[in-house]
Amino acid sequence: MEVFLIRLLQFMLSISLLVLLHEGGHFFFARLFKVRVNKFYLFFNPKFHIASTYDKWVRKLFHLKPEVVPEKIEKDEEGNEHKVKEYVGTEYGIGWLPLGGYCAISGMVDETNQKLDDDPKPWEFRTKPAWQRLLIMIGGVLVNFLLALFIYSMVLFHWGDSYIAVKDMNMGMKFNASAKALGFQDGDILVGTDKKEFKKYDVDLFRAITDAERVDVMRGDKKVSIPITEELSLLDMLKKQPVFAAPFVPAEVDSVVADTPAAQLGMKKGDKIVAIGGKPVDCWVTFDDERGRLADALAQAKTPADSMKVRQTTVAFQHQDTGAIDTLAVTLNPDLSLGVVKTSIYTLYKETKLEYGFLESFPAGISYGVGVLRGYVDDLKYVFTSDGAKSLGGFGAIGSLFPAEWDWMMFWRMTAFLSIILAFMNILPIPALDGGHVLFLLWEMITGKKPSDKFMTYAEYTGMGILLLLMVVANLNDILRWIGVM
């Protein structure tokens, strides 16, 4: 429960910051061009009867008294006349539904569903030149993208960058069956491709392999080139267990958790696991692979007795002090864990540390942010595959990306990453998103023909429908993963 709350707080703080600044970008350009902003809200506040009391209170939370112009007469649907006060200031508040936020710009067809008079006013969005409306619409995306680059720069300035270079992983990699079918061998040290040299062990490494015609490795003292003769899928490389390639880390125990199966076996720091269930283990990848097989068997168990049978196995481990190997029977925990902490990769290989001065951090942060965006855009092609659709994640998946313990460096990295995603997703040419409005504005600037308000309204409804459908699919995937169906 504690881990869930920590991740939830990080997620809510990050999203709130990004939404406020995104909508602030729209607000800035709107006010710059003297367009009225009726409401500026963090989160949405749909008016359901059950929430009306709370909604009324929360709308006044940060309410600044707006300027009032003289009363005017309006007729209701039945033809009765009423005196109405017109407010020209901005109403600020926090909605009760934490699903984003909005900046209600006067005279604009958007998700706020405001009614437009037949007589356009000079302070309305629709009366401004197309170039001004374009800047107002891209204001949020611009702020999010620049924010991401700034955060990445400040993270590099404050914490620097530390990693283990792939070339320094002198025990090489552990490859799965698909990689071995291409010609890779356990222990190969990855060097690079025909296009670039490998730097870090991250998603960019796998992405580079999918784009390569050949991959160069060090095999012993020899450099070997492995031709990539088939099209590789990044999703397959990452989703298959074990993964396409993982750093070779011997199955050495860093520490043993008290009152666990490992403690009962008498395992100690420095001991090495050499087999589980009679299957040889040479590294943690192999150990986790064997645990995965047991997990598959456990999922098929129909009775408690069947489950217990799966959990009962043998573990062989080598004592660090004597070199002797014990093979003992053990009952694994219900989650099939043994109760050991793995040796960290940072204790085995040389770590590369980079530090940046204040001015140096900006080009480095910009380069990093642009690389993140390029990789994200490149990976979008997988969304239109069946596996890609299953990989879509909602709020749960995004929240799980935050660390289980509060870590400011990881928090800011994740915030920058989400800011880039928010910027890119919003600029997509889908009605109801900023990119949809930009598309229609560009059409107007090129052809000189402005889409009608009626067309814009229907386009807005269509776009909202698409977005709601995507949101349902993504969050449904989260639920299916949680209950173990996917």
Side-chain angles (χ1 to χ4, degrees), residues 398-429:
I398 296 173
S400 66
L401 296 176
F402 286 92
E405 297 180 355
W406 198 286
D407 183 325
W408 279 112
M409 184 183 74
M410 291 304 299
F411 169 81
W412 286 116
R413 280 185 176 273
M414 272 304 305
T415 299
F417 177 64
L418 292 178
S419 192
I420 281 182
I421 291 178
L422 185 61
F424 179 77
M425 295 301 292
N426 263 284
I427 205 61
L428 291 176

Side-chain angles (χ1 to χ4, degrees), residues 61-125:
L61 189 59
F62 296 114
H63 183 74
L64 298 181
K65 187 176 180 180
E67 178 185 351
V68 180
V69 298
E71 295 179 342
K72 63 179 182 178
I73 305 298
E74 285 190 356
K75 291 184 178 182
D76 58 23
E77 296 178 355
E78 299 177 354
N80 300 315
E81 294 185 347
H82 300 275
K83 290 183 178 180
V84 179
K85 291 181 179 179
E86 183 179 2
Y87 295 88
V88 297
T90 302
E91 179 184 312
Y92 301 89
I94 299 177
W96 62 269
L97 186 61
L99 293 178
Y102 64 96
C103 176
I105 298 173
S106 180
M108 176 181 170
V109 178
D110 59 10
E111 70 275 10
T112 60
N113 201 27
Q114 60 178 304
K115 294 181 179 179
L116 303 181
D117 295 332
D118 293 334
D119 182 24
K121 308 295 191 301
W123 60 78
E124 289 186 336
F125 174 84

Side-chain angles (χ1 to χ4, degrees), residues 49-216:
H49 178 71
I50 192 172
S52 60
T53 302
Y54 174 70
D55 181 60
K56 182 178 180 181
W57 174 81
V58 82
R59 287 172 66 237
K60 300 292 182 181
L61 189 59
F62 296 114
H63 183 74
L64 298 181
K65 187 176 180 180
E67 178 185 351
V68 180
V69 298
E71 295 179 342
K72 63 179 182 178
I73 305 298
E74 285 190 356
K75 291 184 178 182
D76 58 23
E77 296 178 355
E78 299 177 354
N80 300 315
E81 294 185 347
H82 300 275
K83 290 183 178 180
V84 179
K85 291 181 179 179
E86 183 179 2
Y87 295 88
V88 297
T90 302
E91 179 184 312
Y92 301 89
I94 299 177
W96 62 269
L97 186 61
L99 293 178
Y102 64 96
C103 176
I105 298 173
S106 180
M108 176 181 170
V109 178
D110 59 10
E111 70 275 10
T112 60
N113 201 27
Q114 60 178 304
K115 294 181 179 179
L116 303 181
D117 295 332
D118 293 334
D119 182 24
K121 308 295 191 301
W123 60 78
E124 289 186 336
F125 174 84
R126 54 181 171 166
T127 62
K128 300 299 178 179
W131 69 270
Q132 292 185 4
R133 284 180 279 138
L134 181 64
L135 286 175
I136 292 172
M137 290 317 307
I138 66 172
V141 168
L142 182 64
V143 166
N144 278 133
F145 185 64
L146 293 178
L147 173 67
L149 300 183
F150 177 75
I151 291 176
Y152 280 133
S153 299
M154 291 302 95
V155 166
L156 292 175
F157 169 65
H158 189 272
W159 286 285
D161 193 12
S162 60
Y163 59 92
I164 297 173
V166 177
K167 64 181 177 62
D168 291 329
M169 296 179 182
N170 49 34
M171 293 187 210
M173 293 280 168
K174 183 74 175 179
F175 296 91
N176 67 10
S178 298
K180 290 177 180 177
L182 292 171
F184 292 95
Q185 295 181 12
D186 289 339
D188 285 350
I189 300 173
L190 294 171
V191 176
T193 71
D194 53 300
K195 298 178 181 177
K196 62 186 293 187
E197 183 179 342
F198 293 131
K199 181 181 178 183
K200 300 179 183 179
Y201 177 76
D202 56 14
V203 69
D204 284 337
L205 181 145
F206 294 98
R207 196 178 284 121
I209 293 176
T210 64
D211 293 335
E213 293 182 4
R214 76 162 200 275
V215 176
D216 297 328

